[in-house]
Amino acid sequence: SHIMSEYVRMTDTERDQIDQDAQVFMRTCADAIHQLRTEAHRGVQSAQVKEHRTAVLDFIEDYLKRVCKLYSEQRAIRVKRVIDKKRL
């Protein structure tokens, strides 16, 4: 009960700011991955190094896509709750 008494709910404005910041961050990450992908093969002669870099960037890009999907699912739940609350 002590923990609950100190618990403060976030405002909708704070949630909106977090959503906005998260979207900017995900876009920035996607742009950085794209830039790394274009620079990864410059001056590299070894096929093994090229293959390794491609695999690492593919893994990072896939991870970002999974994070974005999870974020989208959580945001959809929030939007649904807001709509349900307005209906009541």
Side-chain angles (χ1 to χ4, degrees), residues 4-62:
M4 293 304 284
S5 66
E6 294 181 12
Y7 176 74
V8 179
R9 297 188 81 175
M10 290 175 57
T11 65
D12 286 337
T13 304
E14 291 171 327
R15 287 185 184 97
D16 291 340
Q17 184 63 48
I18 289 171
D19 283 344
Q20 184 179 7
D21 292 346
Q23 289 176 354
V24 168
F25 183 73
M26 288 184 287
R27 221 175 296 121
T28 301
C29 289
D31 292 344
I33 292 168
H34 178 72
Q35 183 179 359
L36 279 171
R37 195 174 291 281
T38 59
E39 294 176 7
H41 303 291
R42 287 190 187 152
V44 176
Q45 303 298 325
S46 169
Q48 185 178 12
V49 170
K50 287 181 183 180
E51 186 176 331
H52 173 73
R53 289 181 179 178
T54 299
V56 169
L57 289 167
D58 288 346
F59 174 77
I60 293 170
E61 189 172 46
D62 181 62

Side-chain angles (χ1 to χ4, degrees), residues 9 74-88:
R9 297 188 81 175
Q74 290 177 345
R75 186 160 186 228
I77 291 169
R78 176 178 167 232
V79 169
K80 183 181 181 308
R81 285 182 183 162
V82 169
I83 290 171
D84 290 346
K85 187 188 279 187
K86 287 183 180 182
R87 285 184 186 165
L88 295 175

